[in-house]
Amino acid sequence: MLQESEYIRNLRQNQHKITPQRLSLIKYICDNEGHFTAEEAFTKLRESEPTITLATVYNILKIFTSSGILNTFEHKGSRWFETNSALHINFICDGCGKIEDIDTADITPLIRKVRESGNTFTSGTILMRGYCKKCAKSREDHH
Amino acid sequence: MLQESEYIRNLRQNQHKITPQRLSLIKYICDNEGHFTAEEAFTKLRESEPTITLATVYNILKIFTSSGILNTFEHKGSRWFETNSALHINFICDGCGKIEDIDTADITPLIRKVRESGNTFTSGTILMRGYCKKCAKSREDHH
DNA sequence: ATCTATGCAAACATTTTGCAGGCTG
DNA sequence: CAGCCTGCAAAATGTTTGCATAGAT
C-alpha cells in the first residue's frame, strides 16, 4: 500500500504540479484502499473540494495510471482504478458487487506463458466472478 | 470451436426464435474465430443484412452471453465478445491492438485459490498487455 | 393467431475535448 | 510570469430502452 508521499513524489518526478485537487484525490486513494470509479472518487472529493469536476478527476487519474502508480480495469461499463500494483486476482461478487483482491504466487507461471509465446509483458488484469461466501450462503438459504 | 448448429441448438433450448439476423450473426461468429465488438459484427453483418441495427446485434449477443455460449470482457471502452469459453489468457498487444488467446493449464490453481477464500467461481477473464513478438521487434529496431 | 424479434429513434451513461481564466512553481 | 491546471460545457462514444410493426412457430 503506497503512502501519500509516494504519489506526491510521482507527480514531482513527472513534472506535474501539486494542486489542492490532486492532494485531495491522493488522500482519497490512500484512505480508501481498494477499488473505485472516477464517479465515486468525484462524489467523495466534492465534499472537501466543492468546485472539483469529474473531468479534473479523470485528468488526475490519467496521470497516475499512465505512470503506472495506479492500475485500471473495465467492469460494468466503467473504468475502475485500484491501488494494488502487483498482479493479483480481482474477485467480483455477482451478488453484492464487492471486489476482493486475492494475492497469489500462482500467477507467475501465467506471465511466463505469455513470454513463451514471444510477447513482452507489461501489465495485466485478472477478473473472476462468482458469489462471495456471504452471498453464496444467503442464496443457499433460499432453497 | 463451436459449430453453427450448436448456436442454433442453444437458441432452441432457450425458446428463442431462429431469425435471419440470428443466423447471420452465428455465421459471423463461426467464420470469424476470435474477438469482436458489437460494432464490428454489426458493420460486417450489414453487408448481408442491410436493415439490421446495432440494437439487434446487442440483443442477440446478450442471448448468447447470458446462456454462457459466448464470453465477454471490457476493454478500450467497449465490450468484447469471444467464442473461446474455456478460461484462458487474452493477450492484448499495445502495439497493433491484436488479441491473442493463450490457453494454459496453469489457470486451474487460480480458480482453486478463489474457492479457498470461500467464494464460488462462475467465470473469469484474464487480460494481459505488452507487445507481441512482431511489435516488440519493430520497436527494438527503432533504437 | 400468438407472441417474440426487429428496426428505429431517443435516452442514458461514461469519458473526452476545447477553451477561458486561475494558480503553481 | 509562463505555462500548466481547473472548471465548465459540449461533444463523442458505447449501450440500453420503448414502441409499433414484421415475422417465426
Side-chain angles (χ1 to χ4, degrees):
Chain A
M1 309 297 185
L2 298 180
Q3 312 241 323
E4 297 189 16
S5 58
E6 303 187 67
Y7 288 91
I8 295 171
R9 179 166 358 116
N10 183 278
L11 286 176
R12 290 222 168 86
Q13 275 176 356
N14 295 287
Q15 275 100 48
H16 288 123
K17 301 192 168 164
I18 315 294
T19 67
Q21 294 84 346
R22 290 178 180 179
L23 290 174
S24 294
L25 181 54
I26 288 171
K27 190 167 185 320
Y28 171 81
I29 293 170
C30 294
D31 287 358
N32 228 301
E33 277 310 331
H35 312 81
F36 59 93
T37 62
E39 180 73 41
E40 283 172 358
F42 167 64
T43 303
K44 190 67 168 56
L45 290 187
R46 226 178 3 183
E47 294 175 9
S48 49
E49 294 279 333
T51 68
I52 203 171
T53 61
L54 198 46
T56 296
V57 173
Y58 274 109
N59 281 340
I60 305 173
L61 288 171
K62 181 176 283 179
I63 290 175
F64 288 136
T65 55
S66 57
S67 76
I69 200 171
L70 282 188
N71 286 339
T72 63
F73 56 89
E74 293 170 53
H75 160 58
K76 274 188 152 187
S78 313
R79 181 175 302 150
W80 291 73
F81 300 84
E82 64 173 354
T83 56
N84 187 335
S85 57
L87 184 53
H88 61 279
I89 302 171
N90 283 300
F91 179 78
I92 302 168
C93 175
D94 287 329
C96 60
K98 213 176 55 184
I99 303 177
E100 173 195 348
D101 282 353
I102 302 178
D103 291 301
T104 168
D106 292 337
I107 289 168
T108 318
L110 297 191
I111 299 177
R112 199 180 309 128
K113 198 90 188 179
V114 165
R115 295 198 169 116
E116 270 171 23
S117 310
N119 309 300
T120 66
F121 171 82
T122 50
S123 67
T125 300
I126 302 178
L127 300 183
M128 298 221 176
R129 282 169 291 274
Y131 289 97
C132 69
K133 189 186 272 184
K134 197 176 290 180
C135 289
K137 178 152 186 7
S138 81
R139 284 167 59 87
E140 245 176 40
D141 294 347
H142 279 263
H143 291 295
Chain B
M1 310 297 186
L2 298 180
Q3 312 240 324
E4 299 189 15
S5 58
E6 306 188 64
Y7 288 90
I8 295 172
R9 180 168 355 119
N10 183 278
L11 286 176
R12 290 226 167 84
Q13 276 176 353
N14 295 287
Q15 273 101 48
H16 288 120
K17 300 192 168 164
I18 316 293
T19 67
Q21 293 85 346
R22 289 178 181 178
L23 290 174
S24 294
L25 180 54
I26 288 171
K27 191 166 183 326
Y28 171 81
I29 293 170
C30 294
D31 286 359
N32 227 301
E33 277 310 331
H35 312 80
F36 59 94
T37 62
E39 181 72 40
E40 283 172 357
F42 168 64
T43 302
K44 191 68 169 52
L45 290 189
R46 229 179 0 183
E47 294 175 9
S48 49
E49 294 281 331
T51 68
I52 202 171
T53 60
L54 198 45
T56 296
V57 174
Y58 275 110
N59 282 340
I60 305 174
L61 288 171
K62 180 175 284 177
I63 290 175
F64 289 136
T65 55
S66 56
S67 75
I69 200 169
L70 282 187
N71 286 338
T72 63
F73 56 89
E74 293 169 54
H75 162 59
K76 275 189 152 186
S78 314
R79 180 174 304 152
W80 291 72
F81 300 84
E82 64 173 354
T83 56
N84 187 335
S85 57
L87 184 53
H88 61 279
I89 301 171
N90 282 300
F91 179 78
I92 301 168
C93 176
D94 287 330
C96 60
K98 214 176 52 182
I99 303 177
E100 173 194 350
D101 281 355
I102 301 178
D103 290 300
T104 168
D106 293 337
I107 289 168
T108 318
L110 298 190
I111 299 176
R112 200 180 307 128
K113 198 90 187 180
V114 165
R115 295 199 168 115
E116 270 172 22
S117 310
N119 309 299
T120 65
F121 171 81
T122 49
S123 68
T125 300
I126 301 179
L127 299 183
M128 297 218 176
R129 281 169 292 276
Y131 289 97
C132 70
K133 190 185 270 183
K134 195 176 291 181
C135 290
K137 178 150 185 14
S138 83
R139 284 167 59 86
E140 243 175 42
D141 293 347
H142 279 264
H143 291 294

